[in-house]
C-alpha cells in the first residue's frame, strides 16, 4: 500500500469518526433538551405495599398522580390541585380525574384530614398512598408543577380563552396585582367580565381563587377544569409535529418520578394511534357531596362509591 493511499484511508476514517462524534453529540443534546425536566428519585425502590398499590387486571392503562402545588418560603408545600391521569396506550386516550382537595379522608399516621394535607405531611409518597387507599387505585408515579410554573406552561401554549364572571374578575385581579407587583412589574389585570383571552398569569390566578362569592373549593375545582379543558382545546388544535416541538419548552416546568424511558414508552403508546384524545371529569359528582366537620371544613361523600365509580370510569369505559 502506497503512503498516499494510506493517508486517504486515514483521512476517510477520521472524517467518519468526526461525523459520528457530531451525530452522537447532537443526539445527546436533543435528548437532554427534549427531556429537560426535574426527575425525583424519592419513590425509587418503594414497594407496592408502601404506596398501598391495589392490584389491577393486566391492561395498557397507567395511572399517574398529578399535583399542582403551592410553594412559599418557610411554609410546607401544599397541594392545591390533585388529579389522577389515566393513560390508555391501547386506545390513545388520556382520562383526567379531578379530586376534591378538601375531601374528608384518613391519612396514614395522621388520622382524619383533608386529602390535600397528605402532601404536606409526607410529600408525593404519602399523597399517592392516600389516593390509592381511598380510591382503590394502583398509582406508583406522579408529576407536579407549582403555580408559577403553571402560569409559564399556559403562557408557552399562548394563553387560553375563558368566560370570566364579574365576581371572578374582581377576585382574580386582587391576586394578579399581587403576583405582578412581587416581581416589580406593572399588573395586567382582567379589565372586564365575559369570554376573553387570558395570559398565563391571569389564567393561573383565575383557576386558584375560591373567595369573594366565587364558589369556595368546589368552584375552584370547576375553574381548574375549565382552564385544563381550554388548554387541551388549544393543544389539540395543533398537529402531532407541533405538539412534539412544544415539549422542550413545556417539560422544564415539570417535576416527575417518571424516568425518561417510561416517558418515552407512554408517549409512543399514545401517539401510535394518532393525536391523543383527552377527557376530563370530577369526583365526587354533582349532588353527591356535602360540607361537614365542626366548621364545615371538609367535603364529605361516600368514598367507597366514589372509588367504584372512578375505577369503572378508568377500566370499564363508564360515562363520567
Amino acid at each position: 500500500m502506497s503512503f498516499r493511499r494510506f493517508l486517504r484511508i486515514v483521512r476517510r476514517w477520521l472524517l467518519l469518526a468526526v461525523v459520528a462524534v457530531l451525530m452522537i453529540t447532537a443526539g445527546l443534546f436533543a435528548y437532554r433538551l427534549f427531556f429537560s425536566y426535574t426527575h425525583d428519585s424519592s419513590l425509587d425502590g418503594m414497594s407496592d405495599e408502601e404506596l398501598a398499590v391495589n392490584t389491577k387486571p393486566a391492561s395498557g392503562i397507567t395511572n399517574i398522580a398529578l399535583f399542582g402545588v403551592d410553594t412559599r418560603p418557610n411554609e410546607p408545600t401544599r397541594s392545591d390541585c390533585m388529579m389522577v391521569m389515566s393513560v390508555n396506550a391501547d386506545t390513545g386516550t388520556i382520562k383526567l380525574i379531578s379530586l376534591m382537595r378538601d375531601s374528608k379522608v384518613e391519612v396514614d399516621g395522621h388520622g382524619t384530614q383533608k386529602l390535600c394535607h397528605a402532601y404536606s405531611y409526607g410529600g408525593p409518597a404519602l399523597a399517592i398512598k392516600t389516593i390509592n387507599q381511598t380510591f382503590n387505585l394502583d398509582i406508583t408515579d406522579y408529576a407536579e408543577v407549582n403555580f408559577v410554573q403553571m402560569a409559564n406552561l399556559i403562557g408557552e401554549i399562548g394563553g387560553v380563552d375563558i368566560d370570566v364572571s364579574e365576581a371572578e374578575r374582581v377576585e382574580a385581579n386582587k391576586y394578579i396585582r399581587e403576583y405582578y407587583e412581587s416581581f416589580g412589574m406593572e399588573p395586567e389585570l382582567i379589565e372586564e367580565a365575559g369570554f376573553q383571552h387570558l395570559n398565563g398569569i391571569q389564567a393561573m390566578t383565575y383557576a386558584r381563587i375560591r373567595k369573594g362569592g366565587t364558589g369556595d373549593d368546589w368552584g375552584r375545582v370547576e375553574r381548574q377544569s375549565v382552564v385544563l379543558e381550554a388548554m387541551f382545546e388549544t393543544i389539540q388544535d395543533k398537529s402531532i409535529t407541533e405538539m412534539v416541538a412544544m415539549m422542550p419548552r413545556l417539560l422544564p416546568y415539570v417535576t416527575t418520578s417518571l424516568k425518561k424511558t417510561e416517558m418515552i414508552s407512554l408517549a409512543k403508546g399514545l401517539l401510535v394511534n394518532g393525536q391523543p384524545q383527552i377527557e376530563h371529569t370530577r369526583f365526587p359528582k354533582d349532588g353527591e357531596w356535602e360540607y361537614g366537620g365542626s366548621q364545615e371544613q371538609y367535603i364529605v361523600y361516600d368514598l367507597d362509591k366514589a372509588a367504584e365509580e372512578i375505577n369503572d370510569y378508568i377500566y370499564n369505559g363508564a360515562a363520567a
Side-chain angles (χ1 to χ4, degrees), residues 248-316:
R249 303 199 309 272
L250 301 182
L251 282 175
Y253 301 118
V254 177
T255 297
T256 178
S257 61
L258 288 164
K259 299 179 177 65
K260 293 181 176 70
T261 52
E262 293 169 324
M263 293 181 71
I264 291 171
S265 178
L266 284 172
K268 282 182 178 178
L270 282 173
L271 296 176
V272 72
N273 294 303
Q275 195 170 39
Q277 296 301 306
I278 302 172
E279 304 174 12
H280 177 255
T281 190
R282 296 166 300 282
F283 287 95
K285 296 180 179 178
D286 292 346
E288 295 185 354
W289 63 277
E290 62 184 6
Y291 289 110
S294 59
Q295 299 177 338
E296 295 196 335
Q297 70 270 38
Y298 297 116
I299 288 175
V300 181
Y301 51 97
D302 187 333
L303 296 175
D304 291 335
K305 181 181 179 182
E308 183 178 342
E309 291 175 340
I310 288 171
N311 278 270
D312 205 24
Y313 175 63
I314 291 174
Y315 290 101
N316 301 323

Side-chain angles (χ1 to χ4, degrees), residues 210-252:
R210 64 190 182 98
K211 297 180 180 179
T214 59
D216 298 327
D217 190 50
W218 185 255
R220 173 160 56 183
V221 170
E222 288 290 315
R223 279 185 290 276
Q224 288 169 355
S225 71
V226 167
V227 172
L228 280 173
E229 287 167 10
M231 291 175 69
F232 298 151
E233 287 176 8
T234 300
I235 293 170
Q236 285 186 315
D237 285 341
K238 301 183 185 299
S239 67
I240 290 179
T241 301
E242 289 174 318
M243 290 171 67
V244 170
M246 289 172 62
M247 296 310 291
R249 303 199 309 272
L250 301 182
L251 282 175

Side-chain angles (χ1 to χ4, degrees), residues 87-127:
V87 180
N88 191 327
D90 294 335
T91 62
T93 302
I94 298 174
K95 293 182 177 181
L96 284 166
I97 302 163
S98 289
L99 303 174
M100 299 297 286
R101 68 184 294 277
D102 289 344
S103 297
K104 182 181 179 181
V105 301
E106 294 299 312
V107 177
D108 191 28
H110 300 276
T112 302
Q113 299 287 343
K114 293 181 179 181
L115 179 61
C116 63
H117 287 176
Y119 192 106
S120 300
Y121 292 133
L126 185 57

Side-chain angles (χ1 to χ4, degrees), residues 9-22:
I9 293 172
V10 169
R11 282 197 297 269
R12 187 179 305 153
W13 280 105
L14 283 174
L15 179 61
L16 288 172
V18 169
V19 170
V21 168
L22 288 174

